[in-house]
Amino acid sequence: MEILLHLFKLTNTLMNLKSSKRFSEDRLLSLDFFRGITMFLLVAEGTHLWSVLVEPPVDGTIFESVFLQFHHHPWNGLRFWDLIQPFFMFIVGVAMPFSYAKRKKRGDSTATITRHIIKRCIILLAFGVGLHCVYNRKLVWELWNVLSQLSITILIAYFLMRYKWSTQIVVSIGLLLLTEVLYRTFPLEGYNQPFVKDHNFGSWVDMMLMGKINNGGGWVAINCIPTAAHTIWGVVAGQLLQSGKSQTEKVKRLVIGGSIILVLGYLLDWTTVTPIIKRISTSSFVLASGGWALLVLAFSYWLIDIKKINSWIFPFVVVGTNSIFIYLFSNTIGGQWLNGFVAIFTNGFLSWFKTPEFLINLITALSVLTLEWLLCYYLFIKRIYFRV
C-alpha cells in the first residue's frame, strides 16, 4: 500500500511541477539537471540498455548508427558516450565552489573542509578499486574506474580553487602540455609510441602502478592528470555562476570559453597534431570534451535558470540527488543481481507469448531502469541522501 501511495505522489508531482518550487530557492537547477541526466544515462548503461539497442534487428539499420553513439569509440574519434565521464568530472568541479561556500557559511574552517575533501577522495579511491573487485569477482588492484580518477582530480582542483581564475586555467593547460611531453618523449622501448594502444607512456605507468595493462581496452590510470582539467574548468565555471556578474554575461563567458576549446580540440585532431583518443585522454580529447561540457552547462543554465523552463527536469534531478549511491548500486547490486533477477520474470512471462528475444531484452533493461529510478525517487521523498 505504501508503494501505491508513493506512486500516487509521484504522479501528482510530475503533473503539477510547473516551477522550481519543489526545490530550494537557492539551488542551481541547471547543475541539478546536468548531474541528474548524466547519472541517468550511466544507470541506463548498467541495465545493458545501450547494448540491447545495437543488437539484431537494430544492427545494420540507421538506428544502429544512432545508438552506437552510446558506446565508446574504439580508439581515435569522439562519440557522445565518450563525453559522459568528462561531464561527470566537470559537474563535480562546478559544485565545489557552492559546497565550499555552504560549509563556510555554517562555520566550518578551511582546515575542516580540507580534511573533509581528503577523506572524501580516499573513500572515492576505495570505491573505485572496490568496483573493479566486483567486476572481476576477486580482489584486484586496478585504478581505471572514474571514481579512482576523480579522487585525484578533486584534490588538484580543490587546492587550486583559492587562486584566481586565470591561474587555475593556466595550470590546467600546463597539465595538458605535461601530458603531451610525457607521451611524446618517453624513451622506453615498447612504450614509446604515444598514440598506439598499449604501447604508450600511460601503459608503462599502469605496469608500474598495477603490474598490468588494460588489455584490449587501452584505458590508462594516468588519465587523472589531463582530465583534472575537466574538474578545474568545472570549478572556474562554478565560481563564474556564483559571482555577481549578470546572467547574460555568465552565459556569454561559458559559451565563448567552451567554443574556443571545443574548436581547438577538434583542430588538433583534424590536423593530425594530436588525435582525439578518450582512452588515454589526449589533450585534444580533453579540450573537445571540456568544450562540450561548458556549452551544455551554458545551455542548461540559460534554459532552466534564466528562462525558467524547468518543469520537465524532475525525473533527472531525482537521480542526481544520490548520484554516487545510484552509480555504485547499478554497478554492484544492479549489475550483479537485479538485472538477472528481473530477467527471470520478463523472460518467463514474455516467452509465453513468443516475444522476440530483442523485445524481451529491451523490456528487461527498461524494467530494471524503472526500478532503479523508483529507488532514487523513494530516497528523494524520504529525504535520504548518501554523501561522501
Side-chain angles (χ1 to χ4, degrees):
M1 178 62 80
E2 186 177 0
I3 293 176
L4 291 176
L5 288 173
H6 289 326
L7 287 175
F8 174 76
K9 290 179 182 178
L10 166 61
T11 303
N12 187 58
T13 300
L14 294 176
M15 292 293 290
N16 294 292
L17 188 64
K18 301 299 182 184
S19 68
S20 60
K21 292 180 180 178
R22 177 72 181 178
F23 310 102
S24 302
E25 291 294 326
D26 59 346
R27 290 197 69 84
L28 188 66
L29 293 183
S30 52
L31 177 59
D32 289 334
F33 161 73
F34 199 177
R35 180 193 296 113
I37 195 168
T38 300
M39 296 313 304
F40 182 86
L41 292 169
L42 282 169
V43 171
E45 180 193 31
T47 69
H48 305 305
L49 177 61
W50 310 132
S51 297
V52 170
L53 290 173
V54 293
E55 293 177 354
V58 175
D59 65 327
T61 69
I62 189 174
F63 295 105
E64 182 184 24
S65 299
V66 173
F67 292 121
L68 273 177
Q69 289 297 317
F70 291 86
H71 296 262
H72 289 301
H73 197 286
W75 194 243
N76 178 201
L78 187 65
R79 292 176 180 168
F80 169 73
W81 198 248
D82 296 321
L83 300 175
I84 296 301
Q85 180 175 345
F87 283 178
F88 191 22
M89 303 178 93
F90 174 80
I91 292 163
V92 170
V94 177
M96 284 174 65
F98 293 93
S99 177
Y100 185 87
K102 183 178 179 181
R103 286 179 171 275
K104 275 292 187 181
K105 187 176 180 179
R106 77 183 187 189
D108 289 358
S109 66
T110 300
T112 299
I113 298 172
T114 301
R115 284 194 297 270
H116 168 76
I117 290 293
I118 294 173
K119 176 184 175 183
R120 183 188 188 197
C121 290
I122 292 172
I123 293 172
L124 287 174
L125 177 61
F127 281 157
V129 174
L131 281 177
H132 278 288
C133 295
V134 172
Y135 302 153
N136 290 277
R137 296 180 181 272
K138 63 180 180 180
L139 291 178
V140 294
W141 172 245
E142 296 178 357
L143 302 169
W144 297 301
N145 186 272
V146 61
L147 298 183
S148 302
Q149 305 277 310
L150 199 57
S151 68
I152 303 300
T153 72
I154 287 176
L155 277 180
I156 295 173
Y158 172 72
F159 286 110
L160 281 173
M161 194 166 64
R162 68 195 68 183
Y163 297 102
K164 297 185 298 184
W165 299 352
S166 56
T167 302
Q168 295 180 62
I169 293 171
V170 167
V171 172
S172 70
I173 299 301
L175 293 175
L176 298 185
L177 292 174
L178 173 64
T179 304
E180 286 276 352
V181 170
L182 290 172
Y183 271 82
R184 291 178 184 275
T185 63
F186 192 66
L188 188 63
E189 188 66 34
Y191 299 102
N192 57 355
Q193 302 175 67
F195 307 124
V196 177
K197 187 183 295 185
D198 300 332
H199 295 283
N200 50 63
F201 171 73
S203 297
W204 176 80
V205 172
D206 284 354
M207 288 298 298
M208 296 299 102
L209 289 175
M210 297 174 279
K212 65 180 80 171
I213 60 175
N214 192 278
N215 259 326
W219 308 101
V220 297
I222 201 66
N223 283 352
C224 61
I225 300 302
T227 58
H230 289 137
T231 310
I232 295 169
W233 295 339
V235 168
V236 173
Q239 290 173 329
L240 172 63
L241 294 176
Q242 197 181 46
S243 72
K245 298 185 183 300
S246 70
Q247 292 179 324
T248 302
E249 181 65 18
K250 292 174 183 178
V251 172
K252 179 182 175 181
R253 291 196 178 201
L254 290 173
V255 170
I256 292 175
S259 299
I260 290 173
I261 62 174
L262 179 71
V263 170
L264 182 57
Y266 278 111
L267 191 62
L268 287 171
D269 182 69
W270 292 337
T271 57
T272 69
V273 173
T274 302
I276 289 178
I277 305 173
K278 175 192 166 40
R279 294 166 190 258
I280 58 172
S281 292
T282 56
S283 58
S284 53
F285 165 75
V286 174
L287 289 164
S289 55
W292 281 119
L294 284 163
L295 292 177
V296 171
L297 178 63
F299 178 74
S300 301
Y301 179 68
W302 172 81
L303 183 71
I304 294 170
D305 289 304
I306 297 178
K307 295 299 182 182
K308 304 298 182 183
I309 303 175
N310 53 38
S311 62
W312 53 278
I313 69 172
F314 178 73
F316 302 110
V317 174
V318 165
V319 179
T321 52
N322 269 304
S323 56
I324 298 296
F325 165 78
I326 196 59
Y327 177 77
L328 291 171
F329 181 92
S330 66
N331 279 274
T332 53
I333 297 173
Q336 300 287 319
W337 174 77
L338 185 60
N339 292 352
F341 177 77
V342 172
I344 293 172
F345 298 96
T346 53
N347 290 337
F349 288 123
L350 294 174
S351 62
W352 294 349
F353 303 99
K354 309 297 183 183
T355 307
E357 183 180 1
F358 168 78
L359 193 55
I360 292 176
N361 292 338
L362 179 60
I363 292 173
T364 300
L366 292 174
S367 298
V368 174
L369 181 59
T370 301
L371 288 172
E372 292 183 345
W373 186 88
L374 287 172
L375 172 60
C376 291
Y377 176 69
Y378 178 81
L379 295 174
F380 180 81
I381 61 174
K382 291 294 185 180
R383 299 185 182 278
I384 301 172
Y385 306 115
F386 291 88
R387 306 296 187 203
V388 176

